[in-house]
Amino acid sequence: MTSETKQRPHVVVIGGGFAGLQATRELRKVDVSVTLLDRRNFHLFQPLLYQVATGELSPANIATPLRGILRKQTNARVILEEVTSISLDSNLVHTTDSAIEFDYLIVATGAIHHYFGREEWRPLAPGLKTLENATEIRRQILGAFEAAERSNDPDEIHELLTFVIVGGGPTGCELAGALAEISRHTLQNDFRSIRPADARIVLVESGDAPLDVYPEPLPQRAASDLKKLGVEIQPQCRVVEIEPTHVMVRNKETDEVKRLNTRTVLWAAGVKGSPLGAILCEAAGIDADRGGRVPVGSDLSVPGHDNVFVCGDLAQVKMKEGGEVPGLAPAAMQMGAQAAKCIRADLQSNPRPEFRYRDKGSLAVIGRCTAVGQIGSYKAKGFVAWFIWLFIHLMYITLFRNRLLVLMQWGWTFVTHDRSARLITDGANSEISTMEQATGWNADPAMPTTRGLEPSSQTGSDSSS
């Protein structure tokens, strides 16, 4: 850094997701020096990860290099690092290679999958958080059809063509609808020994219906739309065992346990705060909530540390009218902007504003030409909701080039049902790397509870099941 830069207050932002990137960009006209730390060199548009997992989009369509986004912001720099610890007393962020001093710290590392104490399920039921997850799920899905084509055993073929999705939130519904599209249309003429349309897609949901975070009649409409696509819904059920060849499901009402023979299980049932939240809470001498989130004040600062902010789905923010701020991208972006406003207010010796979440509504796509959602008191469904979902998500993709590529790919898929990115690549389910387990930081967050009218949050909770 130059001597001039050193004289400026130094803001360190951990995490280049929706909240962290928004905070960084909001500080572009503030007389501070910003360092954005991320384990990855790109910002990931996670609401469309499921389309990578199902072969509709390529990874490059939904990922944008952070340096490219911030190339014109001269007061910001990007450092690829993993955070190992935070010293609040000495205002230091410790990484694998160095210690970085800060005047202000913004932590926005999102959330990771929550397997409710059954970590042995993680390699057997991958979730959808990162590009690696998406390409691994794509490999498993397409590999199952390829293995079924080679098999001469009817029972094995049935197991290979049975796909179980755990969790009926937006992520689960999106995956179920996309799988139905793949098996009923995209692959219908690609094989000679099997009928892809015979694939069984099972959605396990602990509530009465998928998307039960919405008011009626939207959950029932979602269930109806999924059934029309050929998805089998098992409501009021919880997974009690996952093995390489089967899943055991217990009905909450009858206590009956049922076995589902399958070789592919996808997890969309819950998330918890990034492990960095626990590290931060320990450093601050406070307790995280049950979901591993960090409780923050009305200005999003950590209690007892006014210069440390937590944003996005790692933050537990209680609203005055009751309830908590949901795990949506609009909420994460608003939190990032709030942290920047507080820093600007401090530098101008003004009182800090309180954070107020502005609910812009939410949408969840079910399948081709159908979605459900709520905008204020208006309950959107069907083609209208689907069209709004397409438009909003397209507009919030970071670069115009990516918007154009996604628009072209969507148009081609809509007309032809062809998913041209259905490539089987080598890879492993690496949601949390060895280093992440050691450092407690996962920079790539989870999917949201509901799809916001702006893009869904970098993390959030599909925890309805």
Side-chain angles (χ1 to χ4, degrees), residues 355-431:
F355 176 70
R356 288 199 168 193
Y357 170 60
R358 297 176 296 282
D359 186 358
K360 298 185 178 182
S362 59
L363 293 163
V365 69
I366 306 299
R368 183 184 177 91
C369 295
T370 180
V372 299
Q374 188 167 18
I375 307 168
S377 60
Y378 174 63
K379 299 173 183 177
K381 53 185 179 293
F383 178 80
V384 173
W386 176 79
F387 183 80
I388 296 173
W389 182 92
L390 289 180
F391 178 78
I392 293 297
H393 282 71
L394 186 66
M395 287 301 100
Y396 275 87
I397 292 178
T398 308
L399 290 186
F400 177 79
R401 178 196 63 198
N402 289 24
R403 295 177 200 166
L404 185 61
L405 290 172
V406 170
L407 180 61
M408 292 171 61
Q409 191 61 50
W410 278 351
W412 176 258
T413 302
F414 185 84
V415 172
T416 66
H417 287 279
D418 181 38
R419 292 170 181 256
S420 59
R422 56 183 195 275
L423 309 177
I424 299 176
T425 56
D426 291 334
N429 179 29
S430 56
E431 179 191 335

Coordinates of all heavy atoms in Angstrom, one line a residue, residues 355-431:
F355 N -30.9 -0.6 10.7 CA -31.2 -1.4 9.5 C -32.7 -1.7 9.5 O -33.3 -2.1 10.4 CB -30.4 -2.7 9.6 CG -30.8 -3.7 8.4 CD1 -30.4 -3.4 7.1 CD2 -31.5 -4.8 8.7 CE1 -30.7 -4.2 6.1 CE2 -31.8 -5.7 7.6 CZ -31.4 -5.4 6.3
R356 N -33.2 -1.5 8.3 CA -34.6 -1.8 8.1 C -34.7 -2.6 6.8 O -34.4 -2.2 5.7 CB -35.5 -0.5 7.9 CG -35.7 0.2 9.2 CD -36.9 1.1 9.1 NE -37.3 1.7 10.4 CZ -38.4 2.3 10.6 NH1 -39.3 2.5 9.6 NH2 -38.7 2.7 11.8
Y357 N -35.2 -3.8 7.0 CA -35.4 -4.7 5.8 C -36.6 -4.4 5.0 O -37.7 -4.2 5.5 CB -35.5 -6.2 6.3 CG -35.8 -7.1 5.2 CD1 -35.0 -7.3 4.0 CD2 -37.0 -7.9 5.3 CE1 -35.4 -8.1 3.0 CE2 -37.3 -8.8 4.3 CZ -36.5 -8.9 3.2 OH -36.9 -9.8 2.2
R358 N -36.4 -4.2 3.7 CA -37.5 -3.9 2.8 C -37.9 -5.1 2.0 O -37.1 -5.6 1.1 CB -37.1 -2.7 1.9 CG -36.9 -1.4 2.6 CD -36.4 -0.3 1.7 NE -35.1 -0.6 1.0 CZ -33.9 -0.5 1.7 NH1 -33.9 -0.1 2.9 NH2 -32.8 -0.8 1.1
D359 N -39.0 -5.7 2.3 CA -39.4 -6.9 1.7 C -39.9 -6.7 0.3 O -40.9 -6.0 0.1 CB -40.5 -7.6 2.5 CG -40.9 -9.0 2.0 OD1 -40.3 -9.4 0.9 OD2 -41.8 -9.6 2.6
K360 N -39.2 -7.2 -0.7 CA -39.6 -6.9 -2.1 C -40.4 -8.1 -2.7 O -40.6 -8.2 -3.9 CB -38.4 -6.6 -3.0 CG -37.7 -5.3 -2.5 CD -36.5 -5.0 -3.4 CE -35.9 -3.7 -3.0 NZ -34.8 -3.3 -3.9
G361 N -40.7 -9.1 -1.9 CA -41.4 -10.2 -2.4 C -40.5 -11.4 -2.7 O -39.3 -11.2 -2.6
S362 N -41.1 -12.5 -3.0 CA -40.2 -13.7 -3.3 C -41.0 -14.6 -4.3 O -42.2 -14.6 -4.4 CB -39.9 -14.5 -2.0 OG -41.1 -14.9 -1.4
L363 N -40.2 -15.3 -5.1 CA -40.7 -16.2 -6.1 C -39.9 -17.5 -6.1 O -38.7 -17.5 -5.8 CB -40.5 -15.6 -7.5 CG -41.4 -14.3 -7.8 CD1 -40.8 -13.6 -9.0 CD2 -42.8 -14.7 -8.0
A364 N -40.6 -18.6 -6.5 CA -39.9 -19.9 -6.6 C -40.4 -20.5 -7.9 O -41.6 -20.7 -8.1 CB -40.3 -20.8 -5.4
V365 N -39.4 -20.9 -8.7 CA -39.8 -21.5 -10.0 C -40.0 -23.0 -9.8 O -39.4 -23.7 -9.0 CB -38.6 -21.3 -11.0 CG1 -37.4 -22.1 -10.7 CG2 -39.1 -21.7 -12.4
I366 N -41.0 -23.6 -10.4 CA -41.4 -25.0 -10.3 C -40.9 -25.7 -11.5 O -40.3 -26.8 -11.4 CB -42.9 -25.2 -10.2 CG1 -43.5 -24.3 -9.1 CG2 -43.3 -26.6 -10.1 CD1 -42.9 -24.7 -7.7
G367 N -41.1 -25.2 -12.7 CA -40.7 -25.8 -13.9 C -40.9 -24.9 -15.1 O -41.1 -23.7 -15.0
R368 N -41.0 -25.5 -16.3 CA -41.2 -24.7 -17.5 C -42.5 -24.0 -17.5 O -43.5 -24.6 -17.4 CB -41.1 -25.7 -18.7 CG -41.2 -25.1 -20.0 CD -41.3 -26.3 -21.0 NE -41.4 -25.8 -22.4 CZ -40.4 -25.5 -23.2 NH1 -39.2 -25.7 -22.8 NH2 -40.7 -25.2 -24.4
C369 N -42.4 -22.7 -17.5 CA -43.6 -21.8 -17.6 C -44.5 -21.8 -16.3 O -45.6 -21.4 -16.4 CB -44.5 -22.1 -18.8 SG -43.7 -21.8 -20.4
T370 N -43.9 -22.2 -15.2 CA -44.7 -22.2 -14.0 C -43.8 -21.9 -12.8 O -42.7 -22.4 -12.7 CB -45.4 -23.6 -13.8 OG1 -46.2 -23.5 -12.6 CG2 -44.4 -24.7 -13.7
A371 N -44.4 -21.1 -11.9 CA -43.7 -20.7 -10.7 C -44.8 -20.2 -9.7 O -45.9 -20.0 -10.1 CB -42.7 -19.6 -11.0
V372 N -44.4 -19.9 -8.5 CA -45.3 -19.3 -7.5 C -44.5 -18.3 -6.7 O -43.3 -18.3 -6.7 CB -45.9 -20.4 -6.5 CG1 -46.7 -21.4 -7.3 CG2 -44.8 -21.0 -5.7
G373 N -45.2 -17.4 -6.1 CA -44.6 -16.3 -5.4 C -45.5 -15.3 -4.8 O -46.7 -15.3 -5.1
Q374 N -45.0 -14.5 -4.0 CA -45.8 -13.4 -3.3 C -45.1 -12.1 -3.5 O -44.0 -11.9 -3.1 CB -46.1 -13.7 -1.9 CG -47.1 -12.8 -1.2 CD -47.6 -13.3 0.1 OE1 -47.0 -14.2 0.7 NE2 -48.7 -12.8 0.6
I375 N -45.9 -11.1 -4.0 CA -45.4 -9.7 -4.1 C -46.3 -8.8 -3.4 O -47.4 -8.5 -3.8 CB -45.3 -9.3 -5.6 CG1 -44.5 -10.4 -6.4 CG2 -44.6 -7.9 -5.7 CD1 -44.6 -10.2 -7.9
G376 N -45.9 -8.4 -2.2 CA -46.9 -7.7 -1.3 C -48.0 -8.6 -1.0 O -47.9 -9.8 -0.5
S377 N -49.2 -8.2 -1.2 CA -50.4 -9.1 -1.0 C -50.8 -9.9 -2.2 O -51.7 -10.7 -2.2 CB -51.6 -8.2 -0.6 OG -51.9 -7.2 -1.6
Y378 N -50.1 -9.6 -3.3 CA -50.4 -10.3 -4.6 C -49.8 -11.7 -4.6 O -48.5 -11.8 -4.4 CB -50.0 -9.5 -5.8 CG -50.2 -10.2 -7.1 CD1 -51.4 -10.6 -7.6 CD2 -49.0 -10.5 -7.9 CE1 -51.6 -11.2 -8.8 CE2 -49.2 -11.2 -9.1 CZ -50.5 -11.5 -9.5 OH -50.6 -12.2 -10.7
K379 N -50.5 -12.7 -4.8 CA -50.0 -14.1 -4.9 C -49.9 -14.5 -6.4 O -50.9 -14.6 -7.1 CB -51.0 -15.1 -4.2 CG -51.1 -14.8 -2.7 CD -52.1 -15.7 -2.1 CE -52.3 -15.3 -0.6 NZ -53.4 -16.1 0.0
A380 N -48.7 -14.5 -6.9 CA -48.4 -14.8 -8.3 C -48.2 -16.3 -8.5 O -47.6 -17.0 -7.6 CB -47.1 -14.1 -8.7
K381 N -48.7 -16.8 -9.6 CA -48.5 -18.2 -9.9 C -48.6 -18.4 -11.4 O -49.0 -17.5 -12.2 CB -49.6 -19.1 -9.2 CG -51.0 -18.7 -9.5 CD -52.0 -19.5 -8.6 CE -53.4 -19.1 -8.9 NZ -53.7 -17.7 -8.3
G382 N -48.1 -19.6 -11.9 CA -48.2 -19.9 -13.3 C -47.2 -19.2 -14.1 O -46.1 -18.8 -13.7
F383 N -47.6 -18.9 -15.3 CA -46.8 -18.3 -16.3 C -46.3 -16.9 -15.9 O -45.2 -16.5 -16.1 CB -47.5 -18.2 -17.7 CG -46.6 -17.5 -18.8 CD1 -45.6 -18.2 -19.4 CD2 -46.8 -16.2 -19.1 CE1 -44.9 -17.6 -20.4 CE2 -46.1 -15.6 -20.0 CZ -45.1 -16.3 -20.7
V384 N -47.2 -16.1 -15.3 CA -46.9 -14.7 -14.9 C -45.7 -14.7 -13.9 O -44.7 -14.0 -14.0 CB -48.1 -14.0 -14.3 CG1 -47.7 -12.7 -13.7 CG2 -49.2 -13.8 -15.4
A385 N -45.8 -15.6 -12.9 CA -44.8 -15.7 -11.9 C -43.5 -16.2 -12.5 O -42.4 -15.7 -12.2 CB -45.2 -16.7 -10.7
W386 N -43.6 -17.1 -13.4 CA -42.4 -17.7 -14.1 C -41.7 -16.6 -14.9 O -40.5 -16.5 -14.9 CB -42.8 -18.8 -15.0 CG -41.7 -19.4 -15.8 CD1 -40.7 -20.3 -15.4 CD2 -41.5 -19.2 -17.2 NE1 -39.9 -20.7 -16.4 CE2 -40.3 -20.0 -17.6 CE3 -42.1 -18.5 -18.2 CZ2 -39.8 -20.0 -18.9 CZ3 -41.6 -18.5 -19.5 CH2 -40.5 -19.3 -19.8
F387 N -42.5 -15.8 -15.6 CA -41.9 -14.7 -16.5 C -41.2 -13.7 -15.6 O -40.1 -13.2 -15.9 CB -43.0 -14.1 -17.3 CG -42.4 -13.0 -18.3 CD1 -41.8 -13.4 -19.5 CD2 -42.5 -11.7 -17.9 CE1 -41.3 -12.4 -20.3 CE2 -42.0 -10.7 -18.8 CZ -41.4 -11.1 -20.0
I388 N -41.8 -13.3 -14.5 CA -41.2 -12.3 -13.6 C -39.9 -12.9 -13.0 O -38.9 -12.2 -12.9 CB -42.2 -12.0 -12.4 CG1 -43.4 -11.3 -13.0 CG2 -41.5 -11.1 -11.4 CD1 -44.5 -11.0 -11.9
W389 N -39.9 -14.2 -12.6 CA -38.7 -14.8 -12.1 C -37.6 -14.7 -13.1 O -36.5 -14.4 -12.8 CB -39.1 -16.3 -11.8 CG -37.9 -17.0 -11.2 CD1 -37.6 -17.2 -9.9 CD2 -36.9 -17.8 -11.9 NE1 -36.5 -18.0 -9.7 CE2 -36.1 -18.4 -10.9 CE3 -36.7 -18.0 -13.2 CZ2 -35.0 -19.1 -11.3 CZ3 -35.6 -18.8 -13.6 CH2 -34.7 -19.4 -12.6
L390 N -37.9 -15.1 -14.4 CA -36.9 -15.0 -15.5 C -36.3 -13.6 -15.6 O -35.1 -13.4 -15.6 CB -37.5 -15.4 -16.8 CG -37.8 -16.9 -17.0 CD1 -38.4 -17.1 -18.4 CD2 -36.6 -17.8 -16.8
F391 N -37.2 -12.6 -15.6 CA -36.7 -11.2 -15.9 C -35.9 -10.8 -14.7 O -34.8 -10.2 -14.9 CB -37.9 -10.3 -16.0 CG -37.6 -8.9 -16.2 CD1 -37.1 -8.4 -17.4 CD2 -37.7 -8.0 -15.2 CE1 -36.8 -7.1 -17.6 CE2 -37.4 -6.7 -15.3 CZ -36.9 -6.2 -16.5
I392 N -36.3 -11.0 -13.5 CA -35.6 -10.5 -12.3 C -34.2 -11.1 -12.2 O -33.2 -10.5 -12.0 CB -36.4 -10.7 -11.0 CG1 -37.7 -9.9 -11.0 CG2 -35.5 -10.5 -9.8 CD1 -37.4 -8.4 -11.0
H393 N -34.1 -12.4 -12.4 CA -32.9 -13.1 -12.3 C -31.9 -12.7 -13.4 O -30.7 -12.6 -13.2 CB -33.1 -14.6 -12.3 CG -33.5 -15.1 -10.9 ND1 -34.8 -14.9 -10.4 CD2 -32.9 -15.8 -10.0 CE1 -34.9 -15.4 -9.2 NE2 -33.8 -16.0 -8.9
L394 N -32.5 -12.5 -14.6 CA -31.6 -12.1 -15.7 C -31.0 -10.7 -15.5 O -29.8 -10.5 -15.7 CB -32.4 -12.1 -17.0 CG -31.7 -11.8 -18.3 CD1 -30.7 -13.0 -18.6 CD2 -32.6 -11.7 -19.5
M395 N -31.8 -9.8 -14.9 CA -31.3 -8.4 -14.7 C -30.3 -8.4 -13.6 O -29.5 -7.4 -13.6 CB -32.5 -7.5 -14.4 CG -33.4 -7.2 -15.5 SD -32.5 -6.4 -16.9 CE -32.3 -7.8 -18.0
Y396 N -30.3 -9.3 -12.7 CA -29.3 -9.2 -11.6 C -28.1 -10.0 -11.8 O -27.3 -10.1 -10.9 CB -30.0 -9.5 -10.2 CG -30.7 -8.4 -9.6 CD1 -32.0 -8.0 -10.0 CD2 -30.1 -7.5 -8.8 CE1 -32.7 -6.9 -9.5 CE2 -30.7 -6.4 -8.2 CZ -32.0 -6.1 -8.6 OH -32.6 -5.0 -8.1
I397 N -27.9 -10.7 -12.9 CA -26.7 -11.3 -13.2 C -25.7 -10.1 -13.4 O -25.9 -9.2 -14.1 CB -26.8 -12.2 -14.5 CG1 -27.6 -13.4 -14.1 CG2 -25.4 -12.6 -14.9 CD1 -27.9 -14.3 -15.3
T398 N -24.5 -10.3 -12.9 CA -23.6 -9.2 -12.7 C -23.1 -8.5 -14.0 O -23.2 -7.3 -14.2 CB -22.3 -9.6 -12.0 OG1 -22.7 -10.3 -10.8 CG2 -21.4 -8.4 -11.6
L399 N -22.7 -9.3 -15.0 CA -22.2 -8.7 -16.2 C -23.2 -8.8 -17.4 O -23.9 -9.8 -17.5 CB -20.9 -9.3 -16.7 CG -19.7 -9.1 -15.8 CD1 -18.5 -9.7 -16.5 CD2 -19.4 -7.6 -15.6
F400 N -23.3 -7.7 -18.2 CA -24.2 -7.8 -19.4 C -23.9 -8.9 -20.3 O -24.8 -9.6 -20.8 CB -24.0 -6.5 -20.2 CG -24.9 -6.4 -21.4 CD1 -26.3 -6.2 -21.3 CD2 -24.3 -6.7 -22.7 CE1 -27.1 -6.2 -22.5 CE2 -25.1 -6.7 -23.8 CZ -26.5 -6.4 -23.7
R401 N -22.6 -9.3 -20.4 CA -22.2 -10.4 -21.3 C -22.9 -11.7 -20.8 O -23.4 -12.5 -21.6 CB -20.7 -10.6 -21.3 CG -20.2 -11.7 -22.1 CD -18.7 -12.1 -21.7 NE -18.7 -12.5 -20.3 CZ -17.5 -12.5 -19.6 NH1 -16.4 -12.0 -20.2 NH2 -17.5 -12.9 -18.4
N402 N -22.8 -11.9 -19.5 CA -23.5 -13.1 -18.9 C -25.0 -13.1 -19.1 O -25.6 -14.1 -19.4 CB -23.1 -13.2 -17.4 CG -21.7 -13.6 -17.2 OD1 -20.8 -13.3 -18.0 ND2 -21.4 -14.1 -16.0
R403 N -25.6 -11.9 -19.0 CA -27.0 -11.8 -19.2 C -27.4 -12.2 -20.6 O -28.3 -13.0 -20.9 CB -27.5 -10.3 -19.0 CG -27.3 -9.8 -17.6 CD -27.8 -8.4 -17.5 NE -27.2 -7.7 -16.4 CZ -27.2 -6.4 -16.2 NH1 -27.7 -5.6 -17.1 NH2 -26.7 -5.8 -15.1
L404 N -26.6 -11.8 -21.6 CA -26.8 -12.1 -23.0 C -26.7 -13.6 -23.2 O -27.5 -14.2 -23.9 CB -25.9 -11.3 -23.9 CG -26.1 -11.4 -25.4 CD1 -27.5 -10.9 -25.8 CD2 -25.0 -10.6 -26.1
L405 N -25.6 -14.2 -22.7 CA -25.4 -15.6 -22.8 C -26.5 -16.4 -22.2 O -27.0 -17.4 -22.8 CB -24.1 -16.0 -22.2 CG -22.8 -15.5 -22.9 CD1 -21.6 -15.8 -22.1 CD2 -22.7 -16.1 -24.3
V406 N -26.9 -16.0 -21.0 CA -28.0 -16.8 -20.3 C -29.3 -16.6 -21.1 O -30.1 -17.6 -21.3 CB -28.2 -16.2 -18.9 CG1 -29.5 -16.8 -18.2 CG2 -27.0 -16.6 -18.0
L407 N -29.6 -15.4 -21.6 CA -30.8 -15.2 -22.4 C -30.8 -16.1 -23.6 O -31.9 -16.7 -23.9 CB -31.0 -13.7 -22.7 CG -32.2 -13.3 -23.5 CD1 -33.5 -13.6 -22.7 CD2 -32.2 -11.9 -23.9
M408 N -29.7 -16.1 -24.3 CA -29.7 -17.0 -25.5 C -29.8 -18.5 -25.2 O -30.5 -19.2 -25.9 CB -28.3 -16.8 -26.2 CG -28.1 -15.4 -26.8 SD -26.5 -15.0 -27.4 CE -26.3 -16.3 -28.6
Q409 N -29.2 -18.9 -24.1 CA -29.3 -20.3 -23.7 C -30.7 -20.6 -23.2 O -31.3 -21.7 -23.6 CB -28.3 -20.6 -22.6 CG -28.2 -22.1 -22.3 CD -27.6 -22.8 -23.5 OE1 -26.7 -22.5 -24.1 NE2 -28.3 -23.9 -23.8
W410 N -31.3 -19.8 -22.5 CA -32.7 -20.0 -22.1 C -33.6 -20.1 -23.3 O -34.5 -20.9 -23.3 CB -33.2 -18.8 -21.2 CG -32.8 -19.0 -19.7 CD1 -32.2 -20.1 -19.2 CD2 -32.9 -18.0 -18.7 NE1 -31.9 -19.9 -17.8 CE2 -32.4 -18.6 -17.5 CE3 -33.4 -16.7 -18.7 CZ2 -32.3 -17.9 -16.3 CZ3 -33.3 -16.0 -17.4 CH2 -32.8 -16.7 -16.3
G411 N -33.4 -19.2 -24.2 CA -34.3 -19.2 -25.4 C -34.1 -20.5 -26.2 O -35.1 -21.1 -26.7
W412 N -32.9 -20.9 -26.4 CA -32.6 -22.2 -27.1 C -33.3 -23.4 -26.4 O -33.9 -24.2 -27.0 CB -31.1 -22.4 -27.2 CG -30.8 -23.7 -27.9 CD1 -30.3 -24.9 -27.3 CD2 -30.9 -24.0 -29.3 NE1 -30.1 -25.8 -28.2 CE2 -30.5 -25.4 -29.4 CE3 -31.3 -23.3 -30.4 CZ2 -30.4 -26.0 -30.7 CZ3 -31.2 -23.9 -31.6 CH2 -30.8 -25.3 -31.8
T413 N -33.1 -23.4 -25.0 CA -33.7 -24.5 -24.3 C -35.2 -24.5 -24.3 O -35.9 -25.5 -24.4 CB -33.2 -24.4 -22.8 OG1 -31.8 -24.5 -22.8 CG2 -33.8 -25.6 -22.0
F414 N -35.8 -23.3 -24.3 CA -37.3 -23.2 -24.3 C -37.8 -23.7 -25.6 O -38.8 -24.4 -25.6 CB -37.7 -21.7 -24.1 CG -39.2 -21.5 -24.0 CD1 -39.8 -21.7 -22.8 CD2 -39.9 -21.2 -25.1 CE1 -41.2 -21.5 -22.7 CE2 -41.3 -21.0 -25.0 CZ -41.9 -21.2 -23.8
V415 N -37.2 -23.4 -26.7 CA -37.7 -23.8 -28.0 C -37.4 -25.3 -28.3 O -38.3 -26.0 -28.8 CB -37.0 -23.0 -29.1 CG1 -37.4 -23.5 -30.5 CG2 -37.5 -21.5 -29.0
T416 N -36.2 -25.8 -27.9 CA -35.8 -27.1 -28.3 C -35.9 -28.2 -27.2 O -35.8 -29.4 -27.4 CB -34.4 -27.1 -28.8 OG1 -33.5 -26.8 -27.8 CG2 -34.3 -26.1 -30.0
H417 N -36.0 -27.8 -25.9 CA -35.9 -28.6 -24.7 C -34.5 -29.2 -24.6 O -34.2 -30.0 -23.7 CB -36.9 -29.8 -24.8 CG -38.3 -29.5 -24.6 ND1 -38.8 -29.3 -23.3 CD2 -39.3 -29.2 -25.4 CE1 -40.1 -29.0 -23.4 NE2 -40.4 -28.9 -24.7
D418 N -33.5 -28.7 -25.4 CA -32.2 -29.2 -25.3 C -31.4 -28.5 -24.3 O -31.4 -27.3 -24.2 CB -31.5 -29.1 -26.7 CG -30.1 -29.6 -26.7 OD1 -29.9 -30.6 -26.0 OD2 -29.2 -29.0 -27.4
R419 N -30.6 -29.3 -23.4 CA -29.7 -28.7 -22.4 C -28.3 -29.0 -22.9 O -27.8 -30.1 -22.6 CB -30.0 -29.3 -21.1 CG -31.4 -28.8 -20.5 CD -31.8 -29.6 -19.3 NE -33.1 -29.2 -18.8 CZ -33.3 -28.4 -17.8 NH1 -32.3 -27.9 -17.1 NH2 -34.5 -28.0 -17.5
S420 N -27.7 -28.0 -23.6 CA -26.5 -28.3 -24.3 C -25.3 -28.4 -23.4 O -24.2 -28.9 -23.8 CB -26.2 -27.2 -25.3 OG -26.2 -25.9 -24.6
A421 N -25.4 -28.0 -22.1 CA -24.3 -28.1 -21.2 C -24.3 -29.4 -20.3 O -23.7 -29.4 -19.2 CB -24.3 -26.9 -20.2
R422 N -24.9 -30.4 -20.8 CA -25.0 -31.7 -20.1 C -23.8 -32.5 -20.3 O -23.8 -33.6 -21.0 CB -26.3 -32.5 -20.4 CG -26.5 -32.8 -21.8 CD -27.9 -33.5 -22.0 NE -28.1 -34.2 -23.2 CZ -28.5 -33.6 -24.3 NH1 -28.8 -32.3 -24.3 NH2 -28.6 -34.3 -25.5
L423 N -22.7 -32.1 -19.7 CA -21.4 -32.7 -19.9 C -21.1 -33.5 -18.6 O -21.3 -33.0 -17.5 CB -20.3 -31.7 -20.1 CG -20.5 -30.7 -21.3 CD1 -19.4 -29.7 -21.4 CD2 -20.7 -31.5 -22.6
I424 N -20.5 -34.7 -18.7 CA -20.1 -35.5 -17.6 C -18.6 -35.2 -17.4 O -17.8 -35.6 -18.3 CB -20.3 -37.0 -17.8 CG1 -21.8 -37.2 -18.0 CG2 -19.8 -37.8 -16.6 CD1 -22.2 -38.7 -18.3
T425 N -18.2 -34.6 -16.3 CA -16.8 -34.2 -16.0 C -16.4 -34.9 -14.8 O -17.2 -35.2 -13.9 CB -16.6 -32.7 -15.9 OG1 -17.5 -32.2 -14.9 CG2 -17.0 -32.0 -17.2
D426 N -15.1 -35.1 -14.6 CA -14.6 -35.7 -13.4 C -14.7 -34.7 -12.3 O -14.6 -33.5 -12.5 CB -13.1 -36.1 -13.6 CG -12.9 -37.3 -14.5 OD1 -13.9 -38.1 -14.7 OD2 -11.9 -37.4 -15.2
G427 N -14.8 -35.2 -11.1 CA -14.9 -34.3 -9.9 C -15.4 -35.1 -8.7 O -15.8 -36.2 -8.8
A428 N -15.3 -34.4 -7.6 CA -15.7 -34.9 -6.4 C -16.6 -33.9 -5.6 O -16.4 -32.7 -5.8 CB -14.5 -35.4 -5.5
N429 N -17.4 -34.4 -4.8 CA -18.3 -33.5 -4.0 C -17.4 -32.8 -2.9 O -17.0 -33.4 -2.0 CB -19.4 -34.3 -3.3 CG -20.3 -33.4 -2.5 OD1 -20.4 -32.2 -2.8 ND2 -20.9 -33.9 -1.4
S430 N -17.0 -31.6 -3.2 CA -16.1 -30.9 -2.3 C -16.7 -29.6 -1.7 O -16.2 -28.6 -1.8 CB -14.8 -30.5 -3.1 OG -15.2 -29.7 -4.2
E431 N -17.9 -29.8 -1.1 CA -18.6 -28.7 -0.5 C -17.7 -28.0 0.5 O -17.6 -26.8 0.6 CB -19.8 -29.1 0.2 CG -20.6 -27.9 0.8 CD -21.7 -28.4 1.7 OE1 -22.2 -29.5 1.6 OE2 -22.0 -27.6 2.7

